[in-house]
Amino acid sequence: MSCVNPVVFYFPQPSLKKTPLFDFHRENGGKMVEFAGWSMPVQYKDSHIASHVHTREHCSIFDVSHMLQTKVHGKDRVKFMESLVVADIAELKDNQGILSLFTNEKGGIIDDLIVTKTDCGYLYIVSNAGCADKDSAHMKFRAAGLDVDLEFLDEALIAVQGPTMSHVLQEGLKEDLGKLSFMTSTLATVFGVPGCRVTRCGYTGEDGVEISVPQSRVVELTEKLMANREVKLAGLGARDSLRLEAGLCLYGSDIDETTTPVEAALVWTIGKRRRQTKDFPGADIVIPQIKSKTARKRVGLVSTGPPVRQHTPVLSPDGKVIGKVTSGCPSPCLKKNIAMAYVDAAFAKNETALQVEVRKKAVPATVSKMPFVPTNYFYG
């Protein structure tokens, strides 16, 4: 019952990129699929649902080494990054990160990313695998003429997610995890592996970390983490349903270059100072939208009956098409169907009764607040 989208099962092809954990996944029963040009595990011996529930109740490891990791060096690094994204990077404290958006001149979203202002003299960026070529070219182009040096990393990246993560990881750290709050980062030796960047974040809605680790040591680190019985491997299927329960967007499905931050209900990513200076790409379009609203808006939907999938039409109570679903799946935690959709703004209010067209039949649906399942981020 996987709800990753889009994912296609395949027989291994030499042209697909492989993460440093590729062989490890196969040795541990990973079912490999094509995703954003990479061979990635969609699930393991456990079902997608079992992995999802295990992450909510215990701790799971996700391979996210396909993501693009970048260091931005140079005295103009903050100025450079603010010329690309909507966040207030200058206001970040050392080792603090923020979710932000690359925008284009029309206010569309080129990609979503996490920017961390480290105390090591560089910005640390993590952005999406499917946008890696586009993002790297975009950054190189905008860096021209500035005192900026871009370093694209070949480090592995694993996400350790779930309520028992801190207990599991603390055994391999000298640093006190209780002092590492959500969206903060530190360099550390983890279970004897030096040079790891540990960032308290993730895309499941649970407490968790992402660990950037040298490729040559990632299998060793993963095995040491899995020595704890709390920990299991999880794949793309669980990651997708977890992020959807948490109300988090998937680039290419829920947001893209035709979507503005206001339409996507991501106004909170735009820094207060940036709204005043209006100096990010597309600001002339995005800022007026904050006050005047937009014709459509991203909302959450809850329904029962047959599952709601991407591209499902959303209907008004009288049967008119007013939008479409961008992501959807049965929620393992709620035992209901959940989805994100863009609908006409007049129908975007929470608790509004709508319909979704599934298998040519109108099924009742209700606009819902997101996240669908409460998040458990650690704020200290």
Side-chain angles (χ1 to χ4, degrees):
M1 192 162 57
S2 171
C3 58
V4 174
N5 118 57
V7 164
V8 178
F9 285 88
Y10 80 109
F11 294 101
Q13 302 172 18
S15 60
L16 292 177
K17 299 176 185 178
K18 299 176 182 178
T19 76
L21 285 167
F22 175 81
D23 291 333
F24 183 81
H25 294 313
R26 297 184 69 182
E27 291 166 3
N28 284 273
K31 294 183 178 180
M32 310 303 288
V33 302
E34 186 278 330
F35 182 76
W38 292 78
S39 180
M40 299 294 292
V42 68
Q43 68 180 70
Y44 294 85
K45 295 175 182 177
D46 290 341
S47 70
H48 147 236
I49 300 300
S51 291
H52 179 113
V53 173
H54 184 84
T55 308
R56 288 275 183 250
E57 296 179 350
H58 301 281
C59 181
S60 297
I61 296 177
F62 299 82
D63 182 8
V64 289
S65 301
H66 59 315
M67 304 283 277
L68 177 64
Q69 299 179 71
T70 309
K71 288 181 180 178
V72 183
H73 305 270
K75 68 178 183 180
D76 291 335
R77 60 188 180 276
V78 171
K79 174 184 176 182
F80 162 73
M81 189 53 55
E82 289 195 348
S83 75
L84 299 171
V85 303
V86 300
D88 189 339
I89 307 301
E91 75 166 359
L92 294 177
K93 299 177 182 177
D94 283 349
N95 298 318
Q96 181 183 12
I98 193 167
L99 178 68
S100 193
L101 308 169
F102 285 130
T103 49
N104 61 30
E105 296 303 328
K106 294 182 179 180
I109 300 170
I110 296 173
D111 198 6
D112 57 319
L113 66 156
I114 291 179
V115 184
T116 301
K117 187 178 183 181
T118 76
D119 61 358
C120 302
Y122 59 80
L123 301 177
Y124 171 62
I125 315 296
V126 178
S127 53
N128 285 301
C131 299
D133 292 342
K134 177 175 68 172
D135 290 351
S136 57
H138 186 54
M139 287 190 282
K140 288 176 183 177
F141 177 77
R142 296 299 286 264
L146 296 175
D147 185 348
V148 165
D149 179 46
L150 300 173
E151 180 185 357
F152 299 105
L153 308 183
D154 61 0
E155 306 284 88
L157 189 66
I158 58 173
V160 188
Q161 302 284 300
T164 60
M165 177 282 299
S166 59
H167 171 72
V168 170
L169 190 61
Q170 189 61 73
E171 294 180 357
L173 282 177
K174 291 183 180 179
E175 293 81 3
D176 180 4
L177 266 178
K179 296 180 180 179
L180 191 72
S181 59
F182 183 59
M183 295 303 287
T184 61
S185 182
T186 188
L187 287 175
T189 295
V190 185
F191 284 100
V193 179
C196 296
R197 177 161 290 281
V198 180
T199 306
R200 201 150 195 167
C201 66
Y203 228 59
T204 64
E206 295 296 331
D207 184 20
V209 295
E210 290 184 355
I211 306 174
S212 182
V213 54
Q215 287 195 23
S216 62
R217 307 291 296 273
V218 67
V219 172
E220 172 191 343
L221 176 56
T222 303
E223 289 177 336
K224 287 181 176 179
L225 287 163
M226 290 185 65
N228 190 311
R229 293 185 179 181
E230 282 288 308
V231 183
K232 290 186 177 182
L233 295 170
L236 292 172
R239 189 167 185 258
D240 196 60
S241 54
L242 288 160
R243 69 91 191 168
L244 187 49
E245 285 187 343
L248 301 170
C249 294
L250 176 65
Y251 190 84
S253 294
D254 308 304
I255 50 177
D256 58 28
E257 293 194 36
T258 69
T259 312
T260 71
V262 182
E263 292 174 320
L266 294 173
V267 173
W268 59 270
T269 64
I270 306 173
K272 183 178 180 180
R273 175 177 61 85
R274 306 305 304 281
R275 299 184 198 193
Q276 296 171 345
T277 56
K278 302 178 183 179
D279 57 354
F280 60 85
D284 289 345
I285 293 173
V286 174
I287 298 303
Q289 286 183 347
I290 297 176
K291 293 183 178 180
S292 64
K293 308 301 180 184
T294 56
R296 63 173 187 155
K297 185 179 179 182
R298 179 175 66 93
V299 299
L301 294 175
V302 173
S303 67
T304 56
V308 180
R309 304 297 189 187
Q310 187 181 30
H311 305 308
T312 297
V314 181
L315 312 176
S316 65
D318 60 0
K320 295 180 180 178
V321 177
I322 57 165
K324 68 176 180 179
V325 170
T326 53
S327 288
C329 73
S331 165
C333 292
L334 300 178
K335 311 300 182 187
K336 298 178 181 178
N337 300 317
I338 58 174
M340 290 185 197
Y342 282 85
V343 301
D344 293 350
F347 297 91
K349 187 177 179 180
N350 288 327
E351 304 300 328
T352 299
L354 299 175
Q355 302 177 90
V356 286
E357 186 180 298
V358 184
R359 301 171 189 167
K360 298 184 179 181
K361 293 184 179 180
V363 177
T366 304
V367 177
S368 171
K369 289 183 179 180
M370 293 185 284
F372 299 100
V373 173
T375 55
N376 294 304
Y377 305 128
F378 177 76
Y379 292 99

